[in-house]
Amino acid sequence: PPVPTPPPSKLRAIVFDMDGTVLDTNHMKKEVFFSSAQRAVPALPQADERLYAQLSYQSRDRVFDQYVRLILHRSPTIDEATLFGTAYKDDVMRGLRAVHAMPGFAEFAERIGQRYKLFVASAAPQDEVDALLKAAGVARFFGRTFGSPISKVRAIRSIVDSDRFAPQTLLYVGDRSDDQVVAETANTHFCRLAANEEEADGTPTHNVVTNFEELIGLLFDIEILKERE
């Protein structure tokens, strides 16, 4: 059914995490991580998906460093870290043709793109962010994109400063519970898109949606609440 039109907007912009939020790339990047780590450090045993899930909110270089430390009880060498980074980037770029947006994202962006400004703030390197969004055919929806070495919090603060938005007029959307920390640090609204992962990980049920139709409903709810303030 059609979603009612909210009252005049008090929200001004939506900032998205990329992997698992805008793009359906979490599984692909997990496989690339394990294959690249194994190539760089053959002594690593079979992939530890649970440990990866615990670490993967960080930059990939940091994840690799911590992954090796926790499994092999030593730091990766400079050569191992370099080989990992090169292999990871090469594999991701080779897989560009298989990259696609999360189901419903393009339709969502078409519907609300003129009402809110849209941005991306990702922990992935900037050149990778831009290449993946372009490959998925959704780069056109975003006013600006931010990737490493700029942190997600710095990206949001840059949007606030350059576009003269109050932080409370931004909504940050991510697929992980730790993305909520980003929103709290930047003093923005937060929503978790839990489309591909179980929600039973300590995430509060408040502001959790499973698809972009539900996100439109959440935008309506936030607008109504702000209208009453």
Side-chain angles (χ1 to χ4, degrees), residues 185-220:
T185 303
N187 198 27
T188 71
H189 294 278
F190 174 70
C191 171
R192 182 181 176 208
L193 177 65
N196 285 334
E197 299 179 29
E198 294 182 3
E199 296 174 12
D201 64 351
T203 304
T205 55
H206 182 60
N207 286 6
V208 176
V209 299
T210 61
N211 57 57
F212 286 98
E213 194 68 26
E214 291 181 4
L215 180 55
I216 288 179
L218 176 63
L219 291 171
F220 175 81

Side-chain angles (χ1 to χ4, degrees), residues 53-116:
Q54 293 171 353
L55 299 174
S56 60
Y57 68 93
Q58 305 173 95
S59 71
R60 73 183 51 138
D61 292 336
R62 181 69 174 164
V63 174
F64 176 67
D65 179 83
Q66 292 295 306
Y67 189 83
V68 173
R69 285 173 183 264
L70 291 169
I71 292 178
L72 299 182
H73 309 291
R74 67 168 178 85
S75 301
T77 67
I78 293 175
D79 287 345
E80 288 170 341
T82 300
L83 178 56
F84 168 78
T86 300
Y88 190 108
K89 184 172 183 177
D90 288 348
D91 283 358
V92 167
M93 291 305 179
R94 273 196 295 267
L96 285 179
R97 282 202 276 182
V99 173
H100 56 272
M102 293 291 288
F105 175 77
E107 295 81 358
F108 168 85
E110 293 280 6
R111 288 173 66 181
I112 57 85
Q114 295 198 1
R115 183 178 184 83
Y116 307 103

